[in-house]
């Protein structure tokens, strides 16, 4: 594997949501911690910390669940994966079979941008200030498919930040996030 930052692919995000591949717990934990912000060295430390196989990252890469993030966070790719932006509602909906899992719905470019902003900020604060203790919090963030879902997780994240870093830090971070 080449040095640099790694992120989940669309297949990786699908695996977090659906668990279709039945990954071993240690491998799933490593996949959860791949956030598009950690370096290869940091991810190897995470893998060692959860006693994942030495080749955990290579396996995730080979299965197409992670990829090298050559240009940083791929907001355009996220928007493409979320579906058409600003699509109108047809007068009479066509008969469409029910999807097996709920698909993310983005209603506008502003909503997509808000989701990306919240997702990045929340993931970064978990990584920087909660570390491995923030595993379950990161899982909750990963399961959110829109900005409203992320906002529902905010009170719990703020509480975790207050416990880890103090009430003043948590209040300041929340104020900066929400403007």
């Amino acid at each position: 594997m080449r040095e640099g930052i790694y992120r989940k692919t669309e297949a990786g995000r699908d695996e977090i949501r659906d668990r279709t591949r039945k990954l071993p717990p240690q491998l799933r934990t490593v996949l959860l911690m791949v956030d598009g912000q950690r370096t290869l060295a940091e991810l190897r430390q995470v893998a060692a910390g959860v006693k994942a196989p030495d080749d955990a990252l290579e396996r995730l890469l080979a299965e197409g669940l992670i990829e090298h993030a050559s240009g940083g966070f791929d907001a355009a790719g996220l928007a493409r994966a979320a579906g058409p932006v600003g699509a109108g509602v047809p007068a009479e909906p066509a008969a469409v079979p029910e999807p097996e899992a709920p698909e993310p719905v983005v209603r506008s470019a502003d909503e997509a941008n808000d989701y990306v902003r919240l997702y990045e900020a929340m993931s970064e604060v978990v990584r920087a200030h909660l570390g491995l203790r923030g595993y379950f919090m990161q899982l909750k963030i990963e399961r959110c498919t829109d900005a409203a879902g992320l906002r529902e997780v905010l009170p719990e994240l703020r509480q975790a930040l207050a416990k880890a870093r103090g009430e003043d830090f948590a209040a300041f971070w929340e104020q900066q996030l929400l403007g």
Side-chain angles (χ1 to χ4, degrees), residues 62-90:
E63 289 193 38
L65 300 175
I66 65 172
E67 65 186 355
H68 189 266
S70 56
F73 185 77
D74 183 11
L78 179 62
R80 281 192 306 275
V85 176
V89 177

Side-chain angles (χ1 to χ4, degrees), residues 92-172:
E92 284 200 293
V96 178
E98 286 293 317
E100 292 181 21
E103 291 294 320
V105 176
V106 178
R107 290 181 170 46
S108 70
D110 288 340
E111 175 72 12
N113 290 337
D114 197 30
Y115 172 82
V116 170
R117 182 184 65 80
L118 289 170
Y119 177 87
E120 287 179 335
M122 292 169 74
S123 293
E124 172 60 21
V125 80
V126 167
R127 183 189 68 77
H129 300 291
L130 301 180
L132 288 176
R133 292 174 294 172
Y135 168 78
F136 290 110
M137 183 61 62
Q138 186 64 40
L139 178 60
K140 289 179 182 184
I141 292 168
E142 291 288 335
R143 286 184 177 159
C144 295
T145 59
D146 58 17
L150 289 171
R151 281 189 207 92
E152 289 176 11
V153 175
L154 270 175
E156 189 176 350
L157 176 55
R158 186 189 189 287
Q159 184 179 15
L161 283 173
K163 185 175 180 182
R165 295 290 313 269
E167 181 60 35
D168 290 342
F169 177 84
F172 177 77

Side-chain angles (χ1 to χ4, degrees), residues 12-31:
R13 289 186 294 274
D14 289 345
E15 176 58 27
I16 294 300
R17 185 184 63 238
D18 303 332
R19 297 178 183 235
T20 55
R21 298 176 193 233
K22 308 272 191 263
L23 293 174
Q26 295 89 350
L27 211 54
R28 181 174 166 75
T29 299
V30 173
L31 177 59

Side-chain angles (χ1 to χ4, degrees), residues 8-60:
K8 290 177 199 71
T9 62
E10 185 175 344
R13 289 186 294 274
D14 289 345
E15 176 58 27
I16 294 300
R17 185 184 63 238
D18 303 332
R19 297 178 183 235
T20 55
R21 298 176 193 233
K22 308 272 191 263
L23 293 174
Q26 295 89 350
L27 211 54
R28 181 174 166 75
T29 299
V30 173
L31 177 59
L32 279 166
M33 299 310 284
V34 175
D35 61 1
Q37 298 175 14
R38 287 185 172 86
T39 64
L40 180 60
E42 291 171 320
L43 290 170
R44 289 202 188 282
Q45 287 179 339
V46 167
V50 297
K51 300 195 184 339
D54 291 339
D55 66 343
L57 292 165
E58 287 79 2
R59 288 169 56 184
L60 293 172

